[in-house]
Amino acid sequence: DIQMTQSPSTLSASVGDRVTITCRASQSIGYWLAWYQVKPGIAPKLLINKASSLESGVPSRFSGSGSGTEFTLTISSLQPDDFATYFCQQYNSNLWTFGQGTKVEIK
Amino acid sequence: QVQLQESGPGLVKPSDTLSLNCTVSGYSISTGYYWGWIRRPPGKGLEWIGSVHHSGGTYYNPSLESRVSMSIDASKNQFSLKLTSVTAADTALYYCARERRDFDYWGRGTLVTVS
C-alpha cells in the first residue's frame, strides 16, 4: 500500500493567515493526488485534483503543488469558512489511500 | 447537481452484517463512473472500502475484501454496501461518493455503531 503522511496533524491559525499543509507519499505517485475539505455533518468537498488543479467553484485562495512524493495545500488567506479538516488522497495505484488529516483550528 | 444520500441502520450487533444504501440524485448511475464507499472511524482518518462500476464490476480494499460486497440497483439509482462479521473496529462514519479515481461528489455520511 502507498502510505500518505500529512503534517501537521493540527494547525492553529487566525483569519487572514497563510496556511500550508504537507502530504508525503511513501513512493512516487506522480501528480495523482487530491485534497478534500471535511466538516461535520456536511458532504466532504473535493478541492484539488491532479495535485494542483482547482475544482470548479473552489475559491482561488486554495492552491496545490508538488509531484512525486511531496505535496502541499496552501490557503493564501484563511477565511472563517475554512476551519475544517483537510485530507489528501493518492490515486496512483488501484488501492486508494488517504492521509490521516490536518485539522485547521481557530487560534 | 449530483447529490448522494446514505441510509441504513445506525446500530449493528457484533458478528452481524452491516448494510447501507446510497441513493443518487441528479445523475443516472447506469450512465457511468465508479461509485465508492469510504469510512472514517472516530478520531481516525479516511479509509477507502471499495467501489462498484456502473456495469456492476467491483474492486475492494484488500484489508476488507473478505468481508465486503457492493452492488448497483439501477432501477432505484442506488448502490449498496454489505460488510459481514462486524466488530467494534467497524464503528465509523460511512460515506458514499462518486469515484473518478478521486471522489468528486460525496454524501454527508451516516454513523454506524457496532455494539
Side-chain angles (χ1 to χ4, degrees):
Chain A
D1 303 3
I2 298 175
Q3 306 301 317
M4 305 301 294
T5 303
Q6 280 182 242
S7 60
S9 55
T10 306
L11 188 160
S12 296
S14 301
V15 173
D17 284 354
R18 181 181 181 88
V19 165
T20 299
I21 299 168
T22 298
C23 181
R24 290 187 173 86
S26 59
Q27 64 189 73
S28 178
I29 58 170
Y31 54 86
W32 299 111
L33 185 104
W35 288 99
Y36 301 88
Q37 180 189 66
V38 179
K39 295 180 180 180
I42 297 174
K45 184 178 184 180
L46 173 63
L47 301 173
I48 289 170
N49 68 81
K50 291 183 186 173
S52 62
S53 180
L54 204 64
E55 281 286 301
S56 174
V58 174
S60 59
R61 62 181 180 272
F62 290 92
S63 64
S65 64
S67 66
T69 62
E70 187 149 340
F71 302 85
T72 59
L73 172 70
T74 298
I75 309 172
S76 60
S77 177
L78 198 65
Q79 298 302 302
D81 191 47
D82 302 338
F83 292 97
T85 302
Y86 294 85
F87 289 91
C88 61
Q89 177 226 339
Q90 67 79 20
Y91 51 103
N92 180 65
S93 68
N94 271 4
L95 168 52
W96 316 139
T97 51
F98 294 84
Q100 78 276 22
T102 295
K103 186 174 183 179
V104 178
E105 298 181 327
I106 300 173
K107 191 172 184 179
Chain B
Q1 176 76 350
V2 180
Q3 293 184 313
L4 295 90
Q5 176 69 58
E6 303 87 353
S7 60
L11 183 63
V12 181
K13 290 183 169 59
S15 78
D16 281 358
T17 296
L18 180 160
S19 297
L20 296 175
N21 290 318
C22 181
T23 301
V24 180
S25 59
Y27 186 85
S28 173
I29 63 173
S30 58
T31 301
Y33 291 99
Y34 277 89
W35 301 87
W37 291 94
I38 300 107
R39 68 182 184 179
R40 186 179 183 189
K44 296 188 178 181
L46 295 169
E47 178 183 37
W48 171 70
I49 300 169
S51 300
V52 55
H53 192 247
H54 68 94
S55 64
T58 56
Y59 67 120
Y60 305 131
N61 189 323
S63 69
L64 297 167
E65 189 166 16
S66 63
R67 300 193 291 128
V68 171
S69 63
M70 296 180 185
S71 60
I72 290 262
D73 185 340
S75 67
K76 296 180 180 178
N77 219 36
Q78 283 182 348
F79 59 104
S80 66
L81 165 70
K82 291 189 189 301
L83 182 66
T84 63
S85 304
V86 297
T87 69
D90 296 308
T91 293
L93 184 60
Y94 284 77
Y95 295 101
C96 59
R98 188 174 80 170
E99 188 206 310
R100 50 178 206 190
R101 297 176 70 189
D102 57 17
F103 297 92
D104 61 347
Y105 291 100
W106 296 61
R108 295 186 175 191
T110 187
L111 179 64
V112 179
T113 302
V114 178
S115 179

